[in-house]
Amino acid sequence: MSTIINPAIRYGYAPFMLLGINGIGIAIAATGTNKLWLLGLLVAAIALSFAAERLLPYETTWNTPTGDSGRDAAHTFVNETLILASVAAIPALAALIPGDGIWPTAIPFVAQVLIAILITDLGITLAHYASHKIGILWRFHAVHHSVTRFYGLNGLMKHPLHQTIEMTAGVIPLLLIGIPVPVAAALSLAVAVQLLLQHSNADYRVGPFKHVLALNEGHRFHHLKWAGIGDVNFGLFTLLWDHLLRTYSYDPARRFSGADLGMAAKPNYPVGYLAQLAEPFTTHGACEISTTNAAAIADEARQKIS
């Protein structure tokens, strides 16, 4: 049976999620079907994500909870609710913006969703990049980098304030040009599916597309724990902007374990949900390290990954 299941997951899982799940979501949004079906589709995508990780894991130990399942579920619930709330708020927010916008409503719906994905990808990539360079933003983004195992549910393991910052960077340009609610609904599902894939422990392959799409093969490099080493591959949907920013990195010989993840500068980062919400506001929540220490940690990291 594994001779059938393993290749199906390795080469079919990502295309099914990207094209199948998102395709069904686009059809639901485009035809005006009750948006609750999108929630059902998201639940199905999460279940499929967990199944793929267990049937064909990249790292078997990452399938074992380390006291983080409840925390990650809380992060996912809160942050996914924020995403859905932002979609529901679009009509009210659009009313505050003068003019009717320039959204290309005449082109096919799927093309509108692709445009929304590219614009959102740029905004979130830039916000993500800034979060690694600006201390106050890093305080909140550090929550996401405290993960020590890679699996689908930790894609939304983010401080809600940082989630809001990224969403604002991705959504405001769309609001300004008049994105319709159905397109935003399809986009919200695409974001959730992308995060499941990007942090997946499933050992899937996408061939040369790994250099273009921001999936797990490339995103693992972003979570390397040493200062300066993980400042790569910031994209949510694509790596196009990383190529332009010269922040793209990939090493086909690199093999990851839990020892590579987390934050070397702060190995004892809080693991509880409420503690993580409070951490950015504490005096030691910045995870700041001096230039000297950063250089030392980076040198150690280069020796470890060389």
Side-chain angles (χ1 to χ4, degrees):
M1 182 66 70
S2 61
T3 58
I4 298 175
I5 293 177
N6 288 359
I9 295 173
R10 178 163 282 125
Y11 301 108
Y13 169 61
F16 181 79
M17 292 283 276
L18 289 171
L19 302 177
I21 297 294
N22 282 329
I24 296 171
I26 288 172
I28 290 172
T31 55
T33 305
N34 192 315
K35 299 302 186 293
L36 288 177
W37 284 103
L38 290 175
L39 284 177
L41 197 58
L42 174 58
V43 171
I46 293 172
L48 182 59
S49 172
F50 273 79
E53 290 175 338
R54 276 146 186 77
L55 291 170
L56 188 66
Y58 171 84
E59 173 58 60
T60 304
T61 59
W62 289 351
N63 282 339
T64 303
T66 56
D68 52 6
S69 297
R71 176 203 68 195
D72 292 351
H75 277 296
T76 298
F77 176 79
V78 170
N79 290 324
E80 187 59 36
T81 298
L82 285 173
I83 292 174
L84 296 175
S86 70
V87 174
I90 282 178
L93 294 172
L96 301 176
I97 299 174
D100 297 325
I102 56 171
W103 190 264
T105 54
I107 67 175
F109 189 84
V110 65
Q112 295 182 48
V113 175
L114 289 175
I115 290 173
I117 284 173
L118 288 174
I119 293 174
T120 300
D121 192 43
L122 174 59
I124 290 179
T125 297
L126 294 177
H128 193 178
Y129 178 83
S131 297
H132 280 246
K133 306 299 180 183
I134 301 173
I136 187 63
L137 294 180
W138 172 251
R139 280 178 176 254
F140 295 94
H141 184 50
V143 170
H144 183 65
H145 278 269
S146 67
V147 299
T148 55
R149 67 183 180 115
F150 234 56
Y151 76 114
L153 205 57
N154 64 19
L156 275 169
M157 198 200 111
K158 302 179 180 182
H159 196 287
L161 288 180
H162 191 266
Q163 170 78 0
T164 301
I165 290 169
E166 286 192 339
M167 285 170 48
T168 300
V171 171
I172 287 297
L174 297 176
L175 282 173
L176 291 175
I177 58 179
I179 183 174
V181 172
V183 177
L187 173 65
S188 68
L189 176 67
V191 169
V193 169
Q194 186 66 22
L195 289 171
L196 286 171
L197 284 170
Q198 191 175 64
H199 295 83
S200 177
N201 186 32
D203 193 17
Y204 65 79
R205 300 282 192 277
V206 293
F209 288 106
K210 64 176 171 286
H211 302 295
V212 180
L213 300 177
L215 298 173
N216 64 356
E217 285 188 83
H219 195 66
R220 293 184 193 115
F221 290 88
H222 180 73
H223 279 267
L224 282 168
K225 68 182 182 181
W226 299 284
I229 303 299
D231 291 345
V232 298
N233 302 351
F234 293 97
L236 172 60
F237 285 103
T238 78
L239 297 168
L240 298 175
W241 313 116
D242 283 289
H243 285 288
L244 291 174
L245 290 169
R246 298 183 181 277
T247 55
Y248 171 71
S249 179
Y250 183 76
D251 176 6
R254 177 70 185 174
R255 179 77 191 180
F256 291 81
S257 71
D260 300 313
L261 309 180
M263 292 181 288
K266 194 161 190 181
N268 297 317
Y269 197 86
V271 297
Y273 179 70
L274 294 179
Q276 289 190 341
L277 295 190
E279 181 67 9
F281 300 100
T282 64
T283 56
H284 49 77
C287 298
E288 293 173 347
I289 49 178
S290 69
T291 304
T292 302
N293 287 340
I297 293 173
D299 287 342
E300 177 188 359
R302 292 188 183 95
Q303 293 175 9
K304 289 178 180 292
I305 65 177
S306 60

